Short mmCIF file of all heavy atoms in Angstrom, two decimals:
data_model
loop_
_atom_site.label_atom_id
_atom_site.label_comp_id
_atom_site.label_asym_id
_atom_site.label_seq_id
_atom_site.Cartn_x
_atom_site.Cartn_y
_atom_site.Cartn_z
N GLU B 40 -19.13 17.24 -48.28
CA GLU B 40 -18.07 16.82 -49.18
C GLU B 40 -18.24 17.43 -50.57
O GLU B 40 -17.27 17.87 -51.20
CB GLU B 40 -18.05 15.29 -49.29
CG GLU B 40 -17.10 14.68 -48.31
CD GLU B 40 -17.23 13.17 -48.25
OE1 GLU B 40 -17.45 12.55 -49.30
OE2 GLU B 40 -17.11 12.64 -47.13
N GLN B 41 -19.50 17.47 -51.03
CA GLN B 41 -19.73 18.06 -52.35
C GLN B 41 -19.33 19.52 -52.38
O GLN B 41 -18.68 19.99 -53.32
CB GLN B 41 -21.23 17.95 -52.70
CG GLN B 41 -21.63 16.54 -53.10
CD GLN B 41 -23.11 16.42 -53.31
OE1 GLN B 41 -23.85 17.39 -53.20
NE2 GLN B 41 -23.55 15.22 -53.62
N ILE B 42 -19.70 20.26 -51.32
CA ILE B 42 -19.35 21.69 -51.26
C ILE B 42 -17.86 21.84 -51.22
O ILE B 42 -17.26 22.65 -51.93
CB ILE B 42 -20.00 22.36 -50.03
CG1 ILE B 42 -21.51 22.36 -50.17
CG2 ILE B 42 -19.49 23.79 -49.86
CD1 ILE B 42 -22.24 22.81 -48.93
N ASN B 43 -17.21 21.00 -50.43
CA ASN B 43 -15.75 21.06 -50.30
C ASN B 43 -15.10 20.85 -51.66
O ASN B 43 -14.11 21.49 -52.02
CB ASN B 43 -15.29 20.00 -49.30
CG ASN B 43 -13.95 20.32 -48.73
OD1 ASN B 43 -13.45 21.42 -48.92
ND2 ASN B 43 -13.35 19.38 -48.06
N GLU B 44 -15.67 19.96 -52.47
CA GLU B 44 -15.10 19.73 -53.80
C GLU B 44 -15.31 20.93 -54.70
O GLU B 44 -14.49 21.21 -55.58
CB GLU B 44 -15.74 18.49 -54.43
CG GLU B 44 -15.01 17.22 -54.03
CD GLU B 44 -15.80 15.97 -54.40
OE1 GLU B 44 -16.53 15.99 -55.41
OE2 GLU B 44 -15.70 15.01 -53.63
N ALA B 45 -16.44 21.63 -54.51
CA ALA B 45 -16.74 22.79 -55.35
C ALA B 45 -15.81 23.96 -55.04
O ALA B 45 -15.57 24.81 -55.89
CB ALA B 45 -18.18 23.19 -55.19
N LEU B 46 -15.29 23.98 -53.83
CA LEU B 46 -14.41 25.11 -53.42
C LEU B 46 -13.02 24.96 -54.05
O LEU B 46 -12.60 23.85 -54.36
CB LEU B 46 -14.28 25.15 -51.90
CG LEU B 46 -15.57 25.57 -51.17
CD1 LEU B 46 -15.45 25.31 -49.68
CD2 LEU B 46 -15.89 27.04 -51.41
N PRO B 47 -12.33 26.07 -54.24
CA PRO B 47 -11.05 26.02 -54.96
C PRO B 47 -9.90 25.33 -54.22
O PRO B 47 -8.87 25.07 -54.83
CB PRO B 47 -10.72 27.48 -55.24
CG PRO B 47 -11.56 28.27 -54.31
CD PRO B 47 -12.76 27.45 -53.97
N GLN B 48 -10.05 25.06 -52.92
CA GLN B 48 -9.03 24.35 -52.14
C GLN B 48 -7.69 25.10 -52.05
O GLN B 48 -6.63 24.49 -52.11
CB GLN B 48 -8.76 22.93 -52.68
CG GLN B 48 -9.95 22.02 -52.60
CD GLN B 48 -10.47 21.83 -51.20
OE1 GLN B 48 -9.77 21.97 -50.23
NE2 GLN B 48 -11.75 21.55 -51.08
N ILE B 49 -7.75 26.42 -51.99
CA ILE B 49 -6.49 27.14 -51.80
C ILE B 49 -6.36 27.61 -50.36
O ILE B 49 -5.35 28.18 -50.00
CB ILE B 49 -6.33 28.31 -52.79
CG1 ILE B 49 -7.59 29.14 -52.81
CG2 ILE B 49 -5.97 27.81 -54.17
CD1 ILE B 49 -7.50 30.36 -53.68
N ASN B 50 -7.39 27.41 -49.56
CA ASN B 50 -7.36 27.71 -48.12
C ASN B 50 -6.83 29.11 -47.83
O ASN B 50 -5.96 29.29 -46.98
CB ASN B 50 -6.50 26.68 -47.37
CG ASN B 50 -7.11 25.30 -47.48
OD1 ASN B 50 -8.33 25.14 -47.35
ND2 ASN B 50 -6.28 24.31 -47.70
N CYS B 51 -7.37 30.10 -48.53
CA CYS B 51 -6.85 31.46 -48.36
C CYS B 51 -7.41 32.13 -47.11
O CYS B 51 -6.78 32.99 -46.53
CB CYS B 51 -7.15 32.31 -49.58
SG CYS B 51 -8.91 32.62 -49.83
N GLY B 52 -8.61 31.71 -46.69
CA GLY B 52 -9.19 32.28 -45.47
C GLY B 52 -9.92 33.58 -45.71
O GLY B 52 -10.29 34.27 -44.76
#
Side-chain angles (χ1 to χ4, degrees):
Chain B
E40 266 171 38
Q41 285 175 1
I42 294 172
N43 202 11
E44 273 168 32
L46 290 168
Q48 298 301 335
I49 48 177
N50 296 319
C51 66

